[in-house]
Amino acid sequence: MVRDIDTDAASAHEMFQSFEGMEGLPVTGPVRRRPLSLEAFARSVYPGVLVALTIALAASWLSQHYNAPVMLFALLFGMTFHFLHEEGRCVAGIEFASKAILRTGVALLGARITVEQIIALGPVPIAMVVAGVTTTLLVGLLLARMLGLSRSFGVLSGGSVGICGASAALAIASVLPKTKESERDVILAVVVVTTLSTIAMILYPMLVTAIGLDHQRAGLFRGGTIHDVAQVVGAGYMISPQTGDVATYVKLLRVAMLLPVVLTIALVLSRGRAGQSGARVPMPLFLFGFAALVALNSLHLLPRPAVDAAGEISRWCLVVAIAALGMKTTFKALIAAGWRPVAVMGLETLWIGGLVLAVVEWLT
């Protein structure tokens, strides 16, 4: 079975004479692919991973000091180092970080969720979240078709808006078909959803106050609409501990929707490709890791320090991965995409906001 890390290493090996030197000299003849030892593999990927980690550290420091989204800093810094992905010793590590490290971070998100937390919300919030995620995905597909964008971008944008922002975009992208525009679409989705989430974090408290929602319903609204987990927490506890707790639980329920959504996308793609070529697409293993951690945490088999550690490692993995993705694209490619992706995600944000507000006002 071919793994991502094998594919990435082999691709980088074809571009350069060897992993030992990697002096940037083009290959003049066919390269025989051989399985790499663990030591050789580590030696091949560490330069690119080290660069991505350095960018992640810088982005995290700036995020803490200027109270801005760390994902956005990591993306922008990564894009300024795009030349490292064009050739040189960092290619293999950047590919590894954008795939294997990304999937590790998504899998570890499962340690933050328990079935008990989901059940405690009651039937209305659960139905609200399921309806919000499902309809936002459908709205994304519809808008993408109307504006001449790919179905992949419709799914990617709808999932990122409906579920959990940049983390959902990265998870969904890992199972979507790879095209020449796919990585640009991921970067676009992350940039736009992070910006929209920041705007929502600023505007929604004023909206909640103007409407006169109590602490419980304000938590339901914020947790059901704001895209990024960290911004949900910040916006919730800005009002009261009760609002923060409710908002966090609702948001974690949306994060839990990652598993069925990504699994469904993978199954649909697998069946479609099997009908075309007779070859089945392997199911992404990180989803099973996600589900296993949810189960272990629900059974209280994970000690609190392990849960906290998994959450912190997951955060760092995702920031490193987004830095690597940034290095794989350019500002020129983003500008060339035009206004339509932004319009799609803006309308998706309005849709889920209106839907959740209607449920909070009329059904709670």
Side-chain angles (χ1 to χ4, degrees):
M1 180 177 66
V2 178
R3 299 171 299 170
D4 281 340
I5 54 176
D6 297 329
T7 303
D8 297 336
S11 300
H13 198 181
E14 286 182 349
M15 296 175 64
F16 304 99
Q17 290 283 1
S18 70
F19 286 119
E20 297 289 336
M22 277 200 169
E23 298 297 334
L25 300 175
V27 178
T28 56
V31 177
R32 181 181 299 175
R33 294 188 179 187
R34 294 180 300 173
L36 292 174
S37 67
L38 182 60
E39 180 183 356
F41 174 75
R43 191 177 298 165
S44 70
V45 302
Y46 90 86
V49 172
L50 186 61
V51 172
L53 178 60
T54 302
I55 292 173
L57 287 168
S60 182
W61 186 88
L62 286 171
S63 173
Q64 293 172 3
H65 283 74
Y66 294 98
N67 197 26
V70 65
M71 291 291 192
L72 193 56
F73 278 131
L75 264 179
L76 295 176
F77 284 174
M79 290 169 69
T80 62
F81 289 91
H82 171 69
F83 66 92
L84 293 176
H85 185 255
E86 294 180 336
E87 61 178 10
R89 300 184 64 192
C90 294
V91 174
I94 293 171
E95 289 291 334
F96 175 76
S98 68
K99 293 182 181 179
I101 292 179
L102 161 63
R103 296 182 180 191
T104 301
V106 173
L108 290 173
L109 284 174
R112 306 173 65 172
I113 303 164
T114 66
V115 175
E116 183 181 2
Q117 291 171 343
I118 296 173
I119 295 175
L121 292 173
V124 172
I126 293 174
M128 177 188 74
V129 167
V130 173
V133 171
T134 304
T135 58
T136 304
L137 281 165
L138 295 175
V139 167
L141 282 169
L142 178 62
L143 290 172
R145 183 176 180 179
M146 291 173 59
L147 293 177
L149 299 173
S150 67
R151 286 188 298 175
S152 293
F153 184 80
V155 173
L156 187 68
S157 62
S160 61
V161 170
I163 302 175
C164 57
S167 301
L170 296 173
I172 293 172
S174 67
V175 298
L176 288 175
K178 298 296 182 283
T179 65
K180 61 181 181 180
E181 291 90 12
S182 58
E183 288 172 352
R184 182 205 66 185
D185 288 347
V186 176
I187 299 299
L188 267 173
V190 171
V191 169
V192 176
V193 81
T194 303
T195 303
L196 289 173
S197 185
T198 303
I199 294 172
M201 184 181 67
I202 296 170
L203 295 182
Y204 284 178
M206 293 184 284
L207 176 62
V208 166
T209 302
I211 296 174
L213 297 180
D214 58 27
H215 294 305
Q216 175 83 9
R217 294 194 298 165
L220 287 174
F221 177 72
R222 294 186 181 199
T225 54
I226 298 177
H227 310 319
D228 186 74
V229 176
Q231 290 165 331
V232 167
V233 174
Y237 286 104
M238 189 184 300
I239 294 182
S240 70
Q242 181 187 3
T243 301
D245 289 344
V246 173
T248 301
Y249 286 151
V250 172
K251 185 60 185 179
L252 289 179
L253 176 56
R254 290 170 68 192
V255 175
M257 290 293 291
L258 263 180
L259 180 60
V261 168
V262 178
L263 188 59
T264 301
I265 294 170
L267 284 171
V268 170
L269 291 174
S270 178
R271 289 184 178 181
R273 293 182 186 180
Q276 294 175 5
S277 61
R280 293 190 65 82
V281 179
M283 292 303 299
L285 294 179
F286 72 92
L287 289 181
F288 297 102
F290 182 99
L293 286 174
V294 172
L296 289 173
N297 200 22
S298 300
L299 295 171
H300 304 289
L301 297 178
L302 293 178
R304 189 69 209 177
V307 173
D308 294 339
E312 188 66 13
I313 294 171
S314 172
R315 186 181 75 85
W316 277 105
C317 284
L318 293 176
V319 177
V320 169
I322 202 67
L325 280 170
M327 286 188 278
K328 295 173 69 174
T329 192
T330 62
F331 290 101
K332 181 180 178 181
L334 294 183
I335 295 172
W339 59 270
R340 292 176 297 173
V342 178
V344 167
M345 298 187 73
L347 291 172
E348 290 167 347
T349 299
L350 291 176
W351 168 263
I352 194 171
L355 177 66
V356 171
L357 184 59
V359 172
V360 168
E361 284 279 45
W362 296 335
L363 299 178
T364 60

